Amino acid sequence: MITVLIVDDQPVVRAGLAVVLDAEPDLQVLGQAADGAEAVRLTAQRQPDVVCMDVRMPGMDGITATREITGSGSGAKVLILTTFDIDEDVFAALEAGAAGFLLKGAEESVIADAIRSVAAGAGTLDQRITHKVITEFAHRRGSGHGGAAPELSTLTPRETEVLRLITQGLSNAEIAQSLFVEVTTVKYHVQSILMKTQSRDRLQAAIWGLRQGLTA
């Protein structure tokens, strides 16, 4: 069972999302928070697997709350849910340690799948913004200075190819289809990549790969 904390300053949004998620057999809503400060407190108390975090809220905003949660040593993963499209919030959320970013207009099944993906350590970005966001984020973090990181040389040729496809925003199933291998094989490579690059999740690995020049 994947446990979830919902954070949004609008009661109607929180209630509606709670109904949707509780209807999923493998998801359980542990609580709701109206602002970032309450989100930090409830995360520490209830230890959810995933925190669905709004960005713009009165008091402590979602970016600050995300930074506090990810920096606290909590095992909770933060999935940003926002009505705003591509803007500075996306990059600020990734800098703060968010494991995923999704627009609230996404279908209910997409939100549920995103929570599962984040909980599994895969990370997620809305498919409408995936490659543009991680490419821009990697550029902002800087790349090409001082050559490739030594970790890149530890990747096998197949792992390098998998990482290259991850930077394009492909899912495990899409990577498996592209490389003509089983999904379980891709998952094995992804876990090895995360370990070798010391990445927290798939999204962080994609950003790392882009910084090393792994593009399409």
Side-chain angles (χ1 to χ4, degrees):
M1 183 69 70
I2 300 171
T3 55
V4 183
L5 175 68
I6 299 172
V7 186
D8 198 291
D9 62 323
Q10 299 184 41
V12 173
V13 173
R14 295 198 306 270
L17 187 55
V19 170
V20 169
L21 299 183
D22 274 333
E24 297 290 328
D26 59 335
L27 303 180
Q28 178 186 9
V29 176
L30 292 184
Q32 303 176 27
D35 58 35
E38 188 177 13
V40 173
R41 178 174 59 81
L42 289 180
T43 298
Q45 290 178 352
R46 304 184 185 182
Q47 295 296 311
D49 297 312
V50 177
V51 179
C52 291
M53 182 80 73
D54 190 19
V55 174
R56 302 183 182 181
M57 298 177 288
M60 183 186 290
D61 61 37
I63 303 301
T64 303
T66 297
R67 187 176 296 109
E68 291 205 13
I69 289 172
T70 58
S72 68
S74 168
K77 308 287 179 57
V78 178
L79 171 63
I80 298 293
L81 289 176
T82 180
T83 55
F84 299 96
D85 209 328
I86 306 172
D87 57 20
E88 291 301 313
D89 291 338
V90 182
F91 308 112
L94 295 177
E95 287 278 14
F101 191 99
L102 201 62
L103 300 180
K104 288 181 180 177
E107 295 182 2
E108 296 173 355
S109 61
V110 173
I111 295 176
D113 285 342
I115 290 173
R116 296 183 183 103
S117 178
V118 167
T124 190
L125 277 174
D126 192 292
Q127 288 297 308
R128 290 166 286 183
I129 62 177
T130 297
H131 191 63
K132 181 175 181 179
V133 168
I134 60 179
T135 301
E136 175 63 15
F137 184 67
H139 174 72
R140 291 178 179 217
R141 293 291 294 270
S143 61
H145 300 295
E151 293 88 349
L152 187 60
S153 64
T154 69
L155 300 181
T156 67
R158 178 62 88 184
E159 289 169 349
T160 301
E161 184 61 25
V162 169
L163 181 55
R164 190 186 307 276
L165 295 174
I166 289 175
T167 68
Q168 297 175 40
L170 272 64
S171 67
N172 284 349
E174 291 169 333
I175 293 174
Q177 184 177 22
S178 176
L179 299 180
F180 303 100
V181 298
E182 297 293 330
V183 174
T184 52
T185 301
V186 175
K187 290 180 178 179
Y188 172 82
H189 289 314
V190 171
Q191 289 303 312
S192 180
I193 290 168
L194 295 181
M195 180 184 68
K196 291 181 179 180
T197 63
Q198 301 179 41
S199 298
R200 181 180 58 251
D201 52 43
R202 182 193 195 90
L203 181 55
Q204 192 177 59
I207 294 168
W208 184 93
L210 285 168
R211 293 179 64 189
Q212 309 313 311
L214 294 180
T215 56

